[in-house]
Amino acid sequence: MLVLAAVRGLGFGTAVVTGAVLVAEFAPRGALGRAVGNLGLAIGAASMLSPTLGLLLLNRLGANLVFGLCGVLALLGVLSVDRVDRGLVRPPGKPVQVAEGLRQPALAIPVVGLALLTMTYGGLVSYGPRVLAPDGWGSAATFFLVYGVGRALSRWLAGRSADRWGARAVILPGLMAAVIGLLLLTLAARGQPALMLLAAVLYGMGAGMAQSGALVGMLTRATPSQMPLVSTLWNLAYDGGVSVGGVVLGFIAATGGETAVLWSLGPLGALALVLFALL
């Protein structure tokens, strides 16, 4: 399982990074935010359904079917992108230097802020099913569905808004909404379904706004030759935050219980807000 997870991770990471690079290369400079928003909607359309659907299939039909279905969908994805950039002339460039990018505050601060934000999702996706109600409107399946819908729509809208008002005007309100959603979730766990749904909406829409805004802001500051670097850093922050969040918050869960994980999410989001406010 661990070996296959590593193989899947390598393939998934490569596909996501190169996909974002292609979107940035093909998009007109004045419509970069709109292109990023469309990318976010395309990704979110699947991710808003997959955690909920995966949990339902896992409980009823077992893990084998879930894994097999994911493999088939991945193979269909291979066919859909064949020849997408055939004949595209690329100027010679040096390999992506992640360490060099992290030495630039204009790139490093969004990377750290985004990683802190996605750590909160890593904690929720790891421990939310154990803390939230097992079924009904207050369940983890419902939370992730509502969160996913909100994130997909807000990433799409945020990209368009960033073209008009700038990335900062999208990121900061988004992070504020996400922090409020996390605080409400802490209060609503296992007892108040309506409040939990409101928390999912605020957290999902806020996270989507911050994610699209951060990518647009980083791409706007980058030169054309830095597009692969920006895509790599953004995805490193996103995936790294989810992974590290699950591990680090696991220590909190081991010592203070799963409820303690919920109480730690709001401060992480608030710290991300502070970093972006200083940018």
Side-chain angles (χ1 to χ4, degrees):
M1 287 290 293
L2 292 175
V3 171
L4 292 175
V7 173
R8 174 195 172 278
L10 288 171
F12 180 82
T14 302
V16 171
V17 170
T18 54
V21 171
L22 285 173
V23 167
E25 288 181 342
F26 287 132
R29 197 65 178 178
L32 184 59
R34 185 173 64 181
V36 169
N38 291 339
L39 174 65
L41 180 62
I43 296 173
S47 63
M48 70 182 179
L49 295 175
S50 57
T52 299
L53 184 59
L55 287 173
L56 294 175
L57 291 177
L58 178 66
N59 291 333
R60 287 167 173 75
L61 301 175
N64 288 345
L65 179 63
V66 176
F67 292 151
L69 179 60
C70 290
V72 171
L73 292 175
L75 291 176
L76 293 176
V78 172
L79 298 177
S80 70
V81 299
D82 186 36
R83 299 179 180 275
V84 70
D85 66 335
R86 296 287 178 89
L88 183 65
V89 178
R90 298 184 180 279
K94 62 179 182 180
V96 171
Q97 300 291 332
V98 172
E100 177 183 328
L102 293 176
R103 285 194 290 268
Q104 304 175 33
L107 297 178
I109 292 176
V111 166
V112 176
L114 181 62
L116 289 170
L117 176 64
T118 55
M119 281 179 67
T120 64
Y121 180 74
L124 279 176
V125 79
S126 298
Y127 303 103
R130 296 178 60 86
V131 178
L132 300 177
D135 51 36
W137 289 107
S139 67
T142 303
F143 175 87
F144 286 120
L145 176 61
V146 175
Y147 161 83
V149 172
R151 187 184 65 169
L153 291 177
S154 65
R155 286 186 68 175
W156 178 61
L157 293 172
R160 284 158 168 72
S161 300
D163 281 336
R164 180 173 299 181
W165 295 301
R168 184 183 175 87
V170 172
I171 297 171
L172 297 183
L175 283 172
M176 291 178 188
V179 171
I180 294 172
L182 290 171
L183 295 176
L184 290 178
L185 178 63
T186 303
L187 301 175
R190 286 191 179 273
Q192 302 181 56
L195 195 58
M196 190 278 293
L197 291 176
L198 177 59
V201 171
L202 289 173
Y203 178 56
M205 296 196 69
M209 291 171 64
Q211 290 162 12
S212 280
L215 181 55
V216 173
M218 293 169 69
L219 289 171
T220 302
R221 294 183 179 93
T223 63
S225 63
Q226 288 182 311
M227 294 296 183
L229 172 62
V230 168
S231 178
T232 300
L233 290 174
W234 189 92
N235 284 280
L236 179 65
Y238 188 97
D239 296 325
V242 173
S243 302
V244 172
V247 174
V248 172
L249 295 175
F251 290 105
I252 296 178
T255 56
E258 285 85 1
T259 303
V261 173
L262 288 184
W263 285 102
S264 67
L265 301 181
L268 285 174
L271 185 55
L273 174 60
V274 170
L275 285 176
F276 277 107
L278 296 175
L279 185 62

